[in-house]
Amino acid sequence: MTIDEKNLINSILESVSRIDYIKPEDLPNIDLYMDQVTTFMDGQLSSTKRYPDDKILTKTMINNYAKNNLLPSPEKKRYSKDHLLMLIFIYYFKNILSINDIQTLLGPVTEKYFKGEPGHDMSYIYNEVFGMEKNQIELLAKNLMRDYNISRDTFEDADEEDKDFLKTFSFICLLSFDVYMKKMIIEKIIDTMVPNDSPKKGKKPSKKE
């Protein structure tokens, strides 16, 4: 492995190791106004930004989520802990799923667990799901190394000046195919969750926010 290759893979693994989620104990115990919500989310999820000026959530986004029935309306302009947990789910889903698909996923969760009793609320859902995070990140790091090593064996007969680029291109293609296939699988699972007589069945997905 050359110095450049080593720097690349080390940079990738370092980025993976920084992936984190908002811990339940980090959530405020008081309701927040809109500006406080955007500030909190921006601070907690800053490591997921690609560029420093990127916004995690904006007022417009949050208002649109409420308008599209992804997020229950605030009470007296204040957002509860359950609202924050819903926004975290939406933040991750919106990068790969349509508004319709997110509605299908979160609708039953909102109906049954939003503002539910302790042990039967959004904190229960959140803790169960994000509790899997540590093992998944370790597995992701191993899979990345596997795919990287596979990609380094490609284009051995390419022109010398093109090899590095083509091997990196191969690595990106491999990762992209994995994302593409998983997205297709997710969409097919979601399709099975929509009743056959639902108006959403067969409806063209809304654009992502």
Side-chain angles (χ1 to χ4, degrees):
M1 183 181 292
T2 66
I3 293 177
D4 286 344
E5 290 173 3
K6 186 176 181 180
N7 288 339
L8 172 64
I9 197 61
N10 284 341
S11 175
I12 292 170
L13 292 176
E14 183 182 346
S15 296
V16 171
S17 69
R18 289 200 306 266
I19 296 174
D20 202 359
Y21 70 101
I22 300 177
K23 307 293 192 302
E25 58 268 24
D26 293 333
L27 293 164
N29 291 317
I30 58 173
D31 294 347
L32 304 178
Y33 288 103
M34 176 76 83
D35 286 339
Q36 294 172 311
V37 171
T38 55
T39 299
F40 173 79
M41 296 291 283
D42 194 69
Q44 292 291 322
L45 295 171
S46 59
S47 64
T48 66
K49 292 182 181 182
R50 185 176 183 183
Y51 303 110
D53 292 338
D54 287 348
K55 298 294 183 182
I56 299 297
L57 284 173
T58 65
K59 295 178 183 180
T60 301
M61 289 179 188
I62 295 175
N63 286 330
N64 282 339
Y65 298 151
K67 182 180 178 181
N68 284 285
N69 298 317
L70 297 183
L71 183 74
S73 298
E75 294 185 6
K76 298 180 180 179
K77 297 184 178 180
R78 290 186 296 183
Y79 296 82
S80 65
K81 180 185 290 188
D82 279 4
H83 281 106
L84 294 178
L85 294 174
M86 294 291 296
L87 283 170
I88 295 169
F89 277 113
I90 293 169
Y91 173 73
Y92 286 110
F93 284 143
K94 75 184 181 70
N95 291 298
I96 56 172
L97 298 177
S98 69
I99 292 294
N100 287 342
D101 283 343
I102 300 175
Q103 286 175 332
T104 301
L105 276 177
L106 292 184
V109 174
T110 304
E111 183 178 345
K112 189 168 183 178
Y113 295 97
F114 191 85
K115 294 210 169 198
E117 297 296 324
H120 204 74
D121 55 7
M122 284 303 302
S123 292
Y124 164 69
I125 300 296
Y126 184 82
N127 291 338
E128 284 289 319
V129 171
F130 283 88
M132 302 182 290
E133 178 253 4
K134 183 178 179 181
N135 289 337
Q136 286 301 305
I137 288 181
E138 292 176 356
L139 182 60
L140 174 61
K142 291 179 181 178
N143 289 340
L144 279 173
M145 280 301 303
R146 178 202 63 198
D147 290 347
Y148 179 79
N149 290 328
I150 290 173
S151 70
R152 299 319 291 178
D153 290 333
T154 61
F155 294 108
E156 286 299 319
D157 58 347
D159 293 339
E160 200 61 38
E161 65 269 22
D162 296 333
K163 273 189 178 182
D164 283 344
F165 167 76
L166 290 175
K167 288 176 184 290
T168 300
F169 177 76
S170 179
F171 184 39
I172 291 172
C173 287
L174 196 55
L175 295 176
S176 298
F177 181 71
D178 183 66
V179 173
Y180 171 74
M181 291 302 296
K182 286 179 179 176
K183 183 175 183 291
M184 283 189 61
I185 293 169
I186 291 169
E187 290 172 344
K188 289 198 174 291
I189 294 173
I190 290 174
D191 287 343
T192 67
M193 300 168 67
V194 181
N196 289 327
D197 57 350
S198 170
K200 290 183 180 180
K201 198 76 171 181
K203 181 181 176 182
K204 185 177 180 179
S206 300
K207 292 182 179 179
K208 294 176 287 184
E209 283 296 326

